[in-house]
């Protein structure tokens, strides 16, 4: 299991160090403390943080000690072990650790870590015991790691805390009350595309998330339904045939989905129904992935022509491909330019375009664009003559945007809330649903 | 270091201040002071001098302050053990605090204070906490048992904590169950032979129930533990799989990967024609693909694992090629892994897409990645024949880019393509030759030279090209020099007239001016060949080459099987077995997939032994120490073995219980050296023709009052016989013969009385055959095959000793199943292996194989590598010990190399085993 956990700043100075097991990095405990964990700590600094080359692997083995690291802005988190640990678990834990820290004190920065180091130690003591991750749900942790001392608790409160931390529903505490029962559902999708210059889709997929903000009293039992093809088909068999034909069109095939730990997986596996008791506040209910029948909101048509050795002509057309009544926002097209670019002239019909030398790209921004429209940019790129034999790699043209629908076609059909003990019913809950489609990696090769 | 020095200088003043603050009356000030102390500790300053002052702050009702003090204690207690005792009272008191959070905190911290003296005080509080009413305390206590075991394993066993821990598996709280499972798994790992995690259908059922209810981390612990279980039959296997599959939809990638591990392992047990098997295969693909949308570090772990899964079961992901396409912004480690998997999945159906992608990658920035992409194109050509042409033209396009490393990489792979498809793509040679000058890497130069030499007849200026390399001959690397030598000789054989000068030049460079023995030898061989027999030279140098294999970089099957059992862990990331990077006894046990070795009934027990969840066959010499820890009293000493008396104790231990495994393990270690070297050599030496089992005089007449006994041992139709000739050289008649054996290594004993019916008159000889059994009492002899015999007649009792050939003990059923053999061979630790040479044996491999079969040494497999025949052989001794051997025969070389390994597969009859273990132990 995890033998120790270190947090470094970008210079490689240790901000937090928590050693769980003796086997890592230092043997002789007779030496004064100041030296004992230095070995492991130094090894990582020298070999990874200060390494000349870019890091080639997130797992490094130095002198039979394995280091797992993730980086958040310029902070390094490293887990150290000498055993054959579950590597996936270690990374999941490091991410979780970042989430927990963010939930407690905001951005992970050197300053925040230094200011909160006592809290971090307390957290590390709680969520990692002898290298074994324990309950790391922020909701539960916040009930008893508060940095304010918990003197005033009654016995009931204490046992409530412990039963929650260890219990089956570790993510929600009892006795939550709201005057207004309300919930917000956000369907957030990022659509990824890789297209060949000829307009052939090389790969496209949507990775989506359903994020829920719940402000519900008591321990509500929820049931979530969407236009999942498997469910609709199953129901369609029972319903009238013409109806089935209609709904079949609107349903989507979900390649795979994963759920927050509150969802009863065995029930999903057997009945494909999504039922759960939600955590309080904001959390991610599910993630999913689809690859079939994706609505690609934009099409990029590139045309790059090399005129001699010192000039490039680029023409890019974008076409929006959705209902004319909808508006896409924050559109940005990034056209890469060669390293030896000396000057660029741009003409565009809509929006603003600028050559950014520091980023080696022409950035074309359009604030809004309705569906079924077309826009064009053309640019002349002048090049400095070089004797560099290596050809320009022609990185793909990438695009960013935001559209008010789900490119996968996912629709929320219902979210039912049942709370038998308290007297509010499904109808009393105010529900909001919103769809946002964003570009993931949306690239067209040129 | 200078820095650290300065730090401590600055510290002295600071410490004084802190001391004053710690002893302040104001609570807030105290707390701030402790915070400062912890801060200094973090950056590596030595604040151990403050120990007593900090410990004084421990008795407080402020939980935050208490936690800080505990943190300090965990770090410094070990360096100040005497003072740490001062804290014990507070700990014990805290363990009875009404607040469960404080009870848990106390027991958690106490376990982290690794001071022997403290551990004694820990036992009572821990015992209480393990049975605490509050689940939070219980789950903390469960982990604490693992901590305590790490400090003092014996104490944990003596105090019965292991049993309590086992009980916690049935706890009502899922998190307690999960932590208990984690703790037990860890403890079991350091005792490979113990039966700690006694997994049976009932416990499995409990675990599966807890799986649905516990935290994501708990699910990982439970799944990892489940993966160690071997289901009894396919139905049990299927029902576990059914209950594990829902985990594939978990948001936590580690849960998904651990579930995949369980499924991949248990799938081995399912019959392939089962509908469920197909369903399961289909269910595995989507979650694996989903892992690729996780954060890059996890993607990397996932890809390394997918690489294994694709090799083991290519059918799972065969339609998912596209998801492995590289994205421009992927970190380099993800890109390289994706590329690897793309090549593995490449097939005729998707080759067009793959090629287009690879071509795209070859224009990227990262040099390593580009090289790998170019190499991948070559591998596609070799793997998918239909695509070869397209690959070659793609490579030619790439060569046109003139990017140096792309060109070089392309030339290296084109060479392989030429090898795979001879006489097909030689038209491109001209293009290749154009780039001769830009090649600066040895591998590329060597490849180019090979091409020129191989196709010398089609290249008009081949001699010029090769000559140009010759100028800087001595500056080239060995690889290039060797290649150049061969190429020029090839050229000479093809165009003898124009190139005589050139060949002489290269031969003299290689033989006279070089101090590299390989180069010189090769030079001389060519020289000799060319000067004596040009026809033979042609046959040798221009011989037809064997084809090259399609798949490269495949992980060998047994390692792959082991790695599949380690999906999700570091081993799967490194693609190395845990023993390669984990120190000590943890993780050295080899895991195996079920079903891979249970085919034949007679090795059934064997498979059972090697697969029992904490698998046996441990390696290393420290095994003995482990055994002692386990079964005998002195706990922590792994040092020198205790005196012989405790060996006797060991002989008496319960062999039917857990001792059996250890017995096998012990024998394994001790016998390896003894048997493999001393016994097998003579047996295999049979090969070297002289060795015949002729009669030897065992008992000269001088010593036995006129009775002379000579004889030999033979094995006839599965029966070992001792054939003796008794000669009476005395003056009187001899009668009343009887024979008895002393206890011996293999339990040989007369199966019947000695049949000498008629009295033996003076100067008369009589032949007697005595059938032997191998069920007699066992005692280790020195040498191992020594036999002490007592013969009685009417005159006296005589003693003699003789040595029997070990080959006599090779049983007729010593032919191991091929697969079992393969699996076993790989699993045997190196320590059990020994090598030796048999000199002067003029048999070819087939004859040797036949001859050995006559002695019950069975050839399981034969393979030919570079002119060497490798015979893989197995033999089984009558006491159930298997010996596996690899016999290397070099054609024309009378010396054989044999490596033998010794495996103990079958289990002894308990009494015989007891005797053996005693004796061997004493010997050690």
């Amino acid at each position: 299991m995890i033998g120790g956990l270190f947090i470094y700043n970008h210079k490689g100075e240790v901000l937090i160090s928590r050693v769980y097991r003796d086997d890592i990095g230092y043997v002789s405990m007779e030496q004064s403390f100041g030296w004992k964990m230095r070995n492991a700590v130094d090894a990582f600094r020298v070999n990874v943080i200060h390494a000349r080359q870019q890091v080639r692997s997130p797992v490094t083995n130095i002198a039979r000690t394995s280091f797992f690291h993730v980086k958040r802005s310029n902070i390094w988190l490293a887990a150290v072990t000498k055993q054959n640990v579950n590597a996936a678990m270690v990374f999941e834990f490091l991410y979780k650790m970042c989430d927990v820290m963010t939930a407690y004190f905001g951005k992970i920065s050197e300053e925040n870590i230094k200011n909160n180091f006592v809290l971090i130690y307390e957290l590390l003591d709680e969520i990692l015991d002898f290298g074994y991750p324990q309950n790391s749900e922020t909701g539960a942790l916040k009930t008893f790691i508060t940095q304010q001392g918990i003197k005033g608790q009654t016995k009931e409160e204490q046992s409530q805390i412990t039963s929650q931390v260890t219990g089956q529903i570790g993510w929600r505490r009892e006795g939550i009350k709201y005057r207004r029962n309300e919930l917000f559902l956000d369907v957030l999708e990022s659509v990824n595309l890789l297209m060949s210059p000829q307009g052939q889709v090389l790969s496209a997929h949507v990775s989506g998330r359903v994020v829920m903000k719940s402000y519900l009293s008591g321990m509500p039992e929820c049931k979530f339904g969407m236009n999942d093809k498997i469910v609709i088909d199953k129901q369609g068999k029972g319903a009238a045939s013409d109806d089935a034909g209609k709904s079949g069109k609107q349903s989507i095939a979900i390649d795979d989905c994963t759920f927050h730990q509150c969802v009863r997986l065995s029930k999903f596996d057997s009945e494909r129904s999504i039922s759960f008791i939600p955590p309080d506040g904001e959390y991610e209910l599910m993630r999913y992935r689809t690859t079939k029948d994706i609505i690609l909101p934009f099409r990029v048509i590139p045309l790059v022509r090399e005129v001699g050795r010192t000039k490039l002509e680029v023409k890019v057309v974008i076409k929006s491909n959705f209902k004319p009544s909808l508006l896409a926002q924050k559109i940005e097209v990034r056209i890469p330019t060669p390293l030896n670019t000396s000057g660029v002239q741009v003409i565009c019909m809509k929006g603003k375009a600028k050559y950014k030398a520091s980023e080696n790209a022409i950035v074309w921004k359009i604030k809004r664009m309705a569906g079924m429209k077309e826009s064009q940019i053309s640019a002349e790129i002048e090049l400095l003559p070089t004797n560099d034999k290596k050809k320009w790699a022609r990185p793909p043209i990438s695009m960013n945007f935001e559209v008010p629908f789900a490119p996968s076609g996912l629709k929320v059909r219902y979210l039912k809330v049942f709370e038998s003990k308290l007297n509010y019913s499904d109808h009393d809950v105010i529900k909001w649903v919103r769809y946002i489609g964003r570009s993931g990696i949306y690239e067209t090769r040129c | 270091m200078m820095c650290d020095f300065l730090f401590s200088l600055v510290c002295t003043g600071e410490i004084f201040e802190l001391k004053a603050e710690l002893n302040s009356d104001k609570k807030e000030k105290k707390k701030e002071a402790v915070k400062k102390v912890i801060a200094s500790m973090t950056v590596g300053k030595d604040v151990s001098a403050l120990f007593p002052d900090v410990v004084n702050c421990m008795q407080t009702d402020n939980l935050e302050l208490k936690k800080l003090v505990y943190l300090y204690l965990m770090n410094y207690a070990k360096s100040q053990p005497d003072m740490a005792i001062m804290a014990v009272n507070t700990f014990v008191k805290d363990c009875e605090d009404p607040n469960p959070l404080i009870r848990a905190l106390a027991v958690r911290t106490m376990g982290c204070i690794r001071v022997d003296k403290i551990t004694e005080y820990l036992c009572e509080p821990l015992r209480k906490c393990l049975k605490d009413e509050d689940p939070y305390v219980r789950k903390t206590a469960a982990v604490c048992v693992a901590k305590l075991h790490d400090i003092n394993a014996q104490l944990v066993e003596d105090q019965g904590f292991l049993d309590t821990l086992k009980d916690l598996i049935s706890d009502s709280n899922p998190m307690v169950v999960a932590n208990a499972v984690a703790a037990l798994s860890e403890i079991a790992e350091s005792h490979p032979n113990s039966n700690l995690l006694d997994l049976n259908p009932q416990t499995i059922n409990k675990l599966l129930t807890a799986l649905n209810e516990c935290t994501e981390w708990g699910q990982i612990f439970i799944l990892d533990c489940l993966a160690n279980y071997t289901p009894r039959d396919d139905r049990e296997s299927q029902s576990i799989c059914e209950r594990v599959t829902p985990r594939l939809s978990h948001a936590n990638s580690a849960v998904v990967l651990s579930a995949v591990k369980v499924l991949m392992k248990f799938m081995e047990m399912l019959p392939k024609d089962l509908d469920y098997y197909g369903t399961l295969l289909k269910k595995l693909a989507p979650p694996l693909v989903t892992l690729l949308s996780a954060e890059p570090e996890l993607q990397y772990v996932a890809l390394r694992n997918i690489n294994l899964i694709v090799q083991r079961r290519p059918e799972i992901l065969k339609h998912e090629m596209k998801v492995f396409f590289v994205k421009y912004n992927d970190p380099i480690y993800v890109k390289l892994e994706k590329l690897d998997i793309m090549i593995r999945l490449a097939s005729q159906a998707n080759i067009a897409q793959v090629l287009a992608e690879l071509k795209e990658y070859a224009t990227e920035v990262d040099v390593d990645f580009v090289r790998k992409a170019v190499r991948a194109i070559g591998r596609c050509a070799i793997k998918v024949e239909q695509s070869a042409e397209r690959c070659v033209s793609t490579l030619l396009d790439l060569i046109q880019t003139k990017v140096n490393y792309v060109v070089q990489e392309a030339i290296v792979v084109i060479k392989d393509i030429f090898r795979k498809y001879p006489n097909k793509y030689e038209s491109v040679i001209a293009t290749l030759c154009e780039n001769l000058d830009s090649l600066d890497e040895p591998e590329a130069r060597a490849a180019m030279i090979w091409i020129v030499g191989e196709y010398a007849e089609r290249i008009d200026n081949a001699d010029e090209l090769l000559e140009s390399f010759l100028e800087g001959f001595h500056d080239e690397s060995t690889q290039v020099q060797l290649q150049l030598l061969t190429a020029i000789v090839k050229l000479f054989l093809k165009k003898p007239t124009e190139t005589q000068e050139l060949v002489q030049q290269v031969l003299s460079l290689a033989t006279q001016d070089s101090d590299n023995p390989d180069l010189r030898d090769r030079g001389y061989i060519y020289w000799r060949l060319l000067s004596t027999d040009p026809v033979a030279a042609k046959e040798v140098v221009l011989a037809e080459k064997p084809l090259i294999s399609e798949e490269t970089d495949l992980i060998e099957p047994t390692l792959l099987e082991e790695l599949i059992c380690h999906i999700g862990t570091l081993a799967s990331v490194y693609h190395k077995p845990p023993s390669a990077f984990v120190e000590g006894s943890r993780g050295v046990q080899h895991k195996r997939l079920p079903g891979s070795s249970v085919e034949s009934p007679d090795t059934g027990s064997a498979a059972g032994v090697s697969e029992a969840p904490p698998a046996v066959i441990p390696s290393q010499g420290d095994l003995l120490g482990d055994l002692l820890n386990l079964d005998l009293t002195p706990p922590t000493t792994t040092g020198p073995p205790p005196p012989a008396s405790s060996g006797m104790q060991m002989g008496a231990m319960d062999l039917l219980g857990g001792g059996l495994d250890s017995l096998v393990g012990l024998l394994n270690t001790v016998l390896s050296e003894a048997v493999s070297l001393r016994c097998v050599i003579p047996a295999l030496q049979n090969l070297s023709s002289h060795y015949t089992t002729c009669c030897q005089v065992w008992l000269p007449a001088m010593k036995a009052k006129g009775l002379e006994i000579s004889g030999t041992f033979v094995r006839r139709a599965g029966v070992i016989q001792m054939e003796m000739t008794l000669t009476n050289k005395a003056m009187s008649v001899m009668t009343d013969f009887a024979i008895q054996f002393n206890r011996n290594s293999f339990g040989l004993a007369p199966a019947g009385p000695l049949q000498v019916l008629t009295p033996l008159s003076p100067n008369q000889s009589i032949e007697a055959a005595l059938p032997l059994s191998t069920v007699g009492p066992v005692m280790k002899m020195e040498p191992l095959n020594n036999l002490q015999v007592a013969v009685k007649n009417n005159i006296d009792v005589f003693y003699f000793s003789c040595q029997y050939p070990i080959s006599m003990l090779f049983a007729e059923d010593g032919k191991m199943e091929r697969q079992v053999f393969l699996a076993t061979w790989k699993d045997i630790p190196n320590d059990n292996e020994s090598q030796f040479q048999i000199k002067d044996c003029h048999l070819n491999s087939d004859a040797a194989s036949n001859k050995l079969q006559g002695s019950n040494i069975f050839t399981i497999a034969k393979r030919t590598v570079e002119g060497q025949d490798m015979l893989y052989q197995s033999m089984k001794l009558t006491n159930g010990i298997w010996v596996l051997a690899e016999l290397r025969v070099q054609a024309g070389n009378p010396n054989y190399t044999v490596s033998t390994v010794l495996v103990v597969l079958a289990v002894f009859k308990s009494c015989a085993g007891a005797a053996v273990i005693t004796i061997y132990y004493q010997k050690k």
Side-chain angles (χ1 to χ4, degrees), chain B residues 675-695:
Chain B
V675 173
S676 60
L677 275 176
R678 296 206 196 105
C679 312
V680 183
I681 293 176
L684 289 168
Q685 221 112 41
N686 276 342
L687 284 174
S688 39
S689 47
H690 326 294
Y691 192 95
T692 45
T693 47
C694 62
C695 273

Side-chain angles (χ1 to χ4, degrees), chain B residues 445 467-477 481 484 509:
Chain B
R445 284 174 84 88
E467 201 171 357
S468 67
F469 282 101
L470 213 51
E471 282 162 20
F473 188 79
H474 290 296
D475 302 329
E476 301 282 1
S477 71
Q481 289 176 335
L484 193 55
L509 277 172

Side-chain angles (χ1 to χ4, degrees), chain A residues 15 21-22 33 36 56 66 84-85 87 92 95 121-122 126 129 132 134 136 162 202 256 258-259 289, chain B residues 42 44 67 75-76 114 134 136 147 179 186 217 249 253 286 290 297 322 333 363 368 568 570-571 574:
Chain A
L15 302 178
R21 286 172 187 244
D22 282 349
F33 168 81
K36 68 179 182 184
R56 307 296 277 196
S66 299
N84 183 28
V85 296
E92 283 283 5
Y95 300 144
Y121 277 125
E122 202 177 334
E126 188 59 44
D129 192 4
Y132 290 106
Q134 304 291 306
S136 50
T162 57
L202 295 173
D256 189 35
T258 60
F259 297 98
R289 186 166 47 82
Chain B
T42 301
K67 282 184 177 173
N75 274 318
Y76 284 116
R114 307 174 53 87
D134 194 292
Y136 183 73
K147 292 180 190 169
N179 277 3
E186 175 164 346
W217 314 116
S249 308
S253 308
T290 300
E297 292 88 2
K322 274 189 179 177
Y333 48 83
T363 60
D368 281 349
L570 261 181
Y574 292 146

Side-chain angles (χ1 to χ4, degrees), chain A residues 239-255:
Chain A
S241 57
D242 58 87
D243 194 43
K246 247 189 219 165
S247 60
K249 228 184 212 170
Q250 287 162 3
S251 64
I252 60 162
I254 291 175
D255 284 31

Side-chain angles (χ1 to χ4, degrees), chain A residues 340-353:
Chain A
N340 54 339
T341 303
S342 61
V344 177
Q345 274 108 43
V346 215
I347 311 160
C348 58
M349 300 177 352
K350 220 179 157 199
K352 280 179 189 160

Side-chain angles (χ1 to χ4, degrees), chain B residues 441-465:
Chain B
E441 285 160 30
E443 203 184 353
R445 284 174 84 88
M448 190 65 222
I449 293 170
W450 182 88
I451 292 172
V452 174
E454 189 68 17
Y455 299 101
E457 67 272 26
R458 310 187 190 194
I459 305 171
D460 295 334
N461 58 345
D463 48 343
E464 281 170 39
L465 292 176

